[in-house]
Amino acid sequence: MSDRIHDLVGIGFGPSNLALAIALHERGSGLDRVFLESRPGFAWHPGMMIHGADMQVSFLKDLVSLHNPASRFSFLCYLHDKGRLERFINRKTFFPSRVEFNDYLSWAAAKLGDVCAYDQRVTAVEPAERRGEVTHLRIHAENSAGERSLRLARQIVLAPGGQPNWPEPFGALRGLPGISHSNDFTGAVLPHVAPGQHVAVLGGGQSAAEIFAELAGHPAAPAVDLILRGHALKPSDDSPFVNEIFGADHTQLMFGMDPQRRKALLDDFASTNYAVADLDLLQKIYDLLYEQEVEAGSRLRLLRDTRPIAAKALPGGIALTLEGPAGRHQMTYDHVILGTGYRRDLAASVLAGLSPWMQAEQPDRFYRLPMRQGFRPAIYVQGYSEPTHGLSDTLLSILAVRAQEIAAAAETFRARRLIAAE
Ligand SMILES: Cc1cc2nc3c(=O)[nH]c(=O)nc-3n(C[C@H](O)[C@H](O)[C@H](O)COP(=O)(O)OP(=O)(O)OC[C@H]3O[C@@H](n4cnc5c(N)ncnc54)[C@H](O)[C@@H]3O)c2cc1C
């Protein structure tokens, strides 16, 4: 360990902190910084890299363009660099494939150089105290070989994304074979699907729908049940007036509201992002089920109004007790895949050790967490302020603008500290 105290350490190097790293680079920032990422290299949701899946946001909402359309890190620059700009234009779409967007993000990360230390999973952040005051932070990390490292910083930006949600009754089965979260689909399930198998997919959102459609077309032709609490798969609303809630101006509007109005707005617009799927995907699934009916098949099933009330690991698979319109029944599956979304809980994050110093979990307008008197470092969060900053917070929509806001706040923090030290 060195005694060097970084101006800023970023935890996680997904799109949020990548956008921040680019913002600092383009501002010519003097901040001494490093980003830590647990994966061995850049990868955006690698477990859901389903071929044919498209982006749900326009490529113009890339890492930079909303703030700086002339940036060398834009999606258009990427296309130009790769020699595909004209052919992309010929496709007449705003929505690249997920595979291509991941390639864009990886290109941008590589172009930045070595700002990120990969294979560094942050395990804890601790306060470094002197005479009752916290002067800086100690960031503990571990690589895949189990080697530990320690870095010091005056500011951190936490952007670890969401954690896979394992609701009851599945919590106790986590880590067992035969059951996984959608987060691991392409690695943990797809290569192991074999003829004659029976697969359950739980959930009614985009991931569950994508997985169902992917398995429907799988060469091994497994039987697949899509198990849905609700009565119907519903489309995400991406109509133009509704889409305005993902605009950068909306963050300010939302932040200025009282908590009741914010909550009402989030509830009102939840159908843009939660438990919904793209309309064209729903149409595809409907067509698949219709075609199957024409051919009197039964391989693919939509189990509506149905919820799992018990789950058990058996030698031959995972047994689910399902409660649906026809009452309770048990089914055994070779694979159970949870399309049950993600949790974002600061108290359970690497910041847990700082909880005695935390005043509240809701950050200020510029994403800084309020801390108690005597705590001098700054902690910013990305993707953890949906209740105060709006539905765009966990998405890509405002990355470019938020990154600039955090970069400016971090530079101001450093400048004030240097003035105070003079
Ligand atoms: C399959 C899928 C598709 C999506 N598609 C879209 C879309 O089309 N449009 C849209 O707007 N949003 C989409 N989203 C929402 C998604 O949250 C954002 O696209 C984006 O990934 C958010 O970026 P992030 O950097 O905040 O989080 P993440 O992308 O989750 O990145 C977090 C990074 O932090 C790392 N990390 C986590 N914990 C640690 C730790 N302790 N130490 C070190 N590193 C750590 C992770 O390995 C990861 O690389 C999608 C989400 C999923 C799951």
Side-chain angles (χ1 to χ4, degrees), residues 273-293:
N273 192 34
Y274 293 109
V276 289
D278 280 352
L279 185 57
D280 54 355
L281 179 59
L282 299 190
Q283 191 67 52
K284 178 177 168 182
I285 291 175
Y286 199 87
D287 291 349
L288 282 170
L289 293 171
Y290 183 81
E291 198 174 285
Q292 175 180 264
E293 196 179 331

Side-chain angles (χ1 to χ4, degrees), residues 10 116 148 161 286:
C116 178
R148 294 180 185 169
Y286 199 87

Side-chain angles (χ1 to χ4, degrees), residues 360-414:
E361 288 200 4
Q362 301 305 336
D364 71 10
R365 170 63 186 83
F366 298 106
Y367 306 96
R368 183 172 168 183
L369 290 176
M371 306 299 282
R372 294 192 194 289
Q373 188 84 22
F375 188 97
R376 301 221 301 258
I379 301 173
Y380 309 88
V381 290
Q382 302 210 65
Y384 279 74
S385 54
E386 187 184 82
T388 44
H389 292 65
L391 282 157
S392 54
D393 189 64
T394 64
L395 304 175
L396 301 171
S397 325
I398 46 99
L399 280 190
V401 174
R402 183 175 64 194
Q404 288 294 330
E405 290 174 339
I406 294 176
E411 283 167 356
T412 306
F413 176 94
R414 177 174 180 261

Side-chain angles (χ1 to χ4, degrees), residues 237-269:
D237 187 342
D238 65 346
S239 54
F241 290 106
V242 167
N243 250 353
E244 288 190 350
I245 65 155
F246 296 109
D249 290 351
H250 202 269
T251 308
Q252 185 63 34
L253 187 75
M254 174 88 178
F255 194 83
M257 290 177 182
D258 64 54
Q260 287 81 3
R261 278 194 70 203
R262 281 184 197 147
K263 168 89 173 59
L265 202 78
L266 288 175
D267 291 346
D268 195 19
F269 287 95

